């Protein structure tokens, strides 16, 4: 694998952003990203598309493909095989759903180019995407959750901030981008609710928090945030050690570090708390539509995936209804079953 595709994500991005001919593939990708930004797409959506297109640009550059019109359907089939064989820095392949996202992003880019009349037809139009997989991650146990929550050093401003973040992730199941976007006026202590602004799909929602998380957020706000604050006009609630708004990637890195210190090897970071919250609520009898509202899912099908891992409720139903769920006690004088 040559340097253009074997480099880091930041190196691929730097090559994409480097000066190039106005009609080059890189220049049109940059215009497409700018168009997405003007449409007020979410920061995470724009970042994902830019990253995937930077990967495609690096792959195309290796093969001397410099203009959008030079890309053929055969090229994109080769790129699809490249994604299948590609290995990340840690030696792991790109997940199937990650490959789907990359190919879909490329297809959307070329669809946009057709609308701009840059090319006559979309070379990715008939590309057969890999079959989507249902990623049923194992949620955290209650013991694991409490072990992680106990790790931050609450005697330091950063540690107190981390404890408040972890408690909030667990209590509400909000996404990491939603957490780092919380403003200082978005939490209503009196009502015990969080106003999630511009969540996925640019939708607002109100989420109940719970007394424990509220208490930790209040403690962080009164004791730690003033020590971290450098700009009195800053409105974000959670700040870095430099007084800047906490970044989504920085939050994930810290959560993953706490997982490692707790000996937790399950995949995921912030999203694993979301997964754990939804599963726990379903296990304890919550209506799926209430969980849907908490998570901010537009469709119930997005929430139903959590019912597949809500094994506690399924086990209870199985034990109560299946004739062979429990070992029958032998009648007096009978031998117990051997199989």
């Amino acid at each position: 694998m040559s340097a253009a595709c074997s480099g880091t994500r930041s190196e691929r991005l730097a090559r994409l952003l480097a000066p190039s001919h106005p009609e080059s593939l890189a220049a049109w990708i940059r215009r497409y990203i700018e168009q997405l930004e003007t449409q007020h797409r979410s920061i995470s959506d724009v970042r994902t598309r830019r990253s995937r297109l930077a990967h495609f640009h690096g792959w195309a550059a290796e093969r001397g493909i410099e203009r959008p019109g030079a890309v053929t359907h055969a090229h994109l089939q080769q790129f699809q095989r490249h994604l299948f064989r590609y290995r990340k820095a840690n030696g792991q392949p790109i997940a199937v759903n990650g490959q789907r996202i990359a190919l879909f992003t490329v297809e959307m880019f070329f669809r946009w180019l057709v609308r701009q009349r840059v090319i006559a037809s979309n070379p990715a139009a008939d590309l057969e995407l890999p079959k989507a997989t249902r990623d049923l991650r194992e949620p955290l146990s209650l013991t694991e959750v409490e072990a992680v929550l106990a790790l931050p050093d609450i005697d330091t401003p950063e540690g107190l901030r981390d404890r408040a973040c972890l408690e909030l992730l667990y209590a509400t199941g909000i996404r990491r981008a939603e957490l780092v976007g919380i403003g200082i006026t978005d939490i209503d202590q009196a009502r015990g609710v969080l106003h999630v602004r511009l969540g996925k799909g640019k939708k607002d929602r109100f989420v109940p928090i719970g007394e424990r998380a509220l208490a930790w957020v209040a403690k962080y706000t009164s004791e730690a945030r003033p020590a971290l604050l450098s700009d009195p006009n800053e409105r974000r609630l959670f700040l870095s050690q430099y007084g800047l708004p906490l970044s989504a990637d920085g939050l994930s890195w810290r959560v993953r570090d706490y997982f490692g210190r707790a000996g937790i090897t399950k995949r995921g970071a912030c999203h694993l708390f979301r997964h754990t919250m939804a599963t726990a609520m379903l296990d304890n009898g919550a209506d799926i539509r209430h969980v849907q509202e908490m998570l901010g899912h537009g469709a119930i099908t997005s929430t139903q995936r959590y019912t597949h891992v809500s094994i506690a409720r399924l086990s209870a139903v199985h034990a109560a209804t299946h004739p062979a769920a429990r070992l029958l006690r032998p009648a007096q004088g009978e031998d117990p079953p051997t199989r």
Side-chain angles (χ1 to χ4, degrees):
M1 188 181 303
S2 58
C5 274
S6 60
T8 65
R9 184 177 303 180
S10 59
E11 290 171 341
R12 289 196 294 265
L13 181 60
R15 284 188 287 269
L16 175 65
L17 299 179
S20 60
H21 190 280
E23 297 304 317
S24 68
L25 180 62
W28 279 108
I29 290 176
R30 293 196 295 270
R31 293 187 188 104
Y32 174 63
I33 296 300
E34 183 178 357
Q35 176 71 17
L36 294 176
E37 292 173 334
T38 61
Q39 294 172 349
H40 300 286
R41 299 272 184 169
S42 69
I43 295 174
S44 60
D45 182 25
V46 173
R47 184 190 299 118
T48 296
R49 296 197 194 205
R50 183 188 292 116
S51 175
R52 301 306 192 274
L53 289 172
H55 191 151
F56 173 68
H57 167 259
W59 178 89
E62 290 180 348
R63 288 152 183 80
I65 303 172
E66 299 179 353
R67 302 291 177 96
V71 179
T72 66
H73 183 74
H75 286 143
L76 294 176
Q77 289 179 315
Q78 293 172 25
F79 180 63
Q80 182 171 359
R81 290 193 290 272
H82 158 78
L83 292 174
F84 175 75
R85 295 190 296 264
Y86 185 81
R87 294 298 179 266
K88 295 180 286 188
N90 61 5
Q92 296 298 311
I94 300 175
V96 174
N97 288 343
Q99 296 175 44
R100 283 179 57 86
I101 292 172
L103 293 169
F104 179 73
T105 300
V106 171
E107 197 275 334
M108 292 295 291
F109 166 63
F110 280 105
R111 186 186 303 181
W112 178 78
L113 287 177
V114 172
R115 292 200 301 270
Q116 302 302 310
R117 299 186 179 181
V118 177
I119 55 177
S121 61
N122 184 350
D126 298 323
L127 202 62
E128 188 173 349
L129 301 182
K131 186 177 180 180
T133 61
R134 280 292 185 183
D135 187 8
L136 302 179
R137 300 184 184 182
E138 184 182 359
L140 297 170
S141 67
L142 179 58
T143 301
E144 289 172 330
V145 169
E146 295 300 336
V148 172
L149 294 179
L151 283 173
D153 180 2
I154 60 174
D155 291 328
T156 67
E158 293 87 353
L160 189 50
R161 174 205 61 205
D162 290 351
R163 179 64 185 263
C165 288
L166 293 172
E167 291 280 357
L168 205 52
L169 287 171
Y170 180 47
T172 64
I174 58 176
R175 303 174 179 92
R176 65 171 191 169
E178 293 170 343
L179 186 140
V180 299
I182 294 173
I184 57 176
T185 60
D186 290 339
I187 293 182
D188 187 334
Q189 287 279 346
R191 296 171 57 207
V193 296
L194 164 66
H195 187 182
V196 180
R197 301 179 187 273
L198 299 178
K200 195 169 184 179
K202 299 293 183 180
K203 297 178 181 178
D204 289 9
R205 69 184 188 279
F206 288 95
V207 178
I209 299 178
E211 293 180 358
R212 189 170 84 169
L214 276 173
W216 281 106
V217 170
K219 185 175 177 63
Y220 158 76
T221 303
S222 63
E223 299 178 18
R225 190 176 185 275
L228 297 171
L229 187 66
S230 58
D231 180 2
N233 296 318
E234 178 55 60
R235 310 306 293 172
R236 293 286 181 89
L237 178 61
F238 294 110
L239 305 176
S240 72
Q241 62 268 38
Y242 305 108
L244 301 174
L246 192 63
S247 70
D249 288 341
L251 177 64
S252 288
W253 181 88
R254 297 194 68 80
V255 172
R256 190 66 253 174
D257 181 62
Y258 286 126
F259 283 176
R261 289 165 55 185
I264 298 171
T265 58
K266 295 173 181 176
R267 290 192 302 118
C270 301
H271 206 81
L272 196 51
F273 276 106
R274 180 174 171 86
H275 191 77
T276 299
M277 184 279 291
T279 304
M281 288 186 66
L282 290 168
D283 277 346
N284 288 293
D287 185 275
I288 190 171
R289 295 199 177 274
H290 293 157
V291 178
Q292 176 190 5
E293 187 70 19
M294 282 281 294
L295 297 175
H297 285 158
I300 194 69
T301 52
S302 298
T303 316
Q304 285 173 336
R305 66 190 297 268
Y306 293 103
T307 64
H308 296 296
V309 294
S310 183
I311 193 65
R313 179 186 292 186
L314 183 61
S315 297
V317 172
H318 180 265
T321 60
H322 197 288
R326 296 184 182 277
L327 182 64
L328 296 177
R329 293 184 178 181
Q332 189 172 4
E334 291 183 358
D335 293 330
T338 57
R339 295 185 183 180

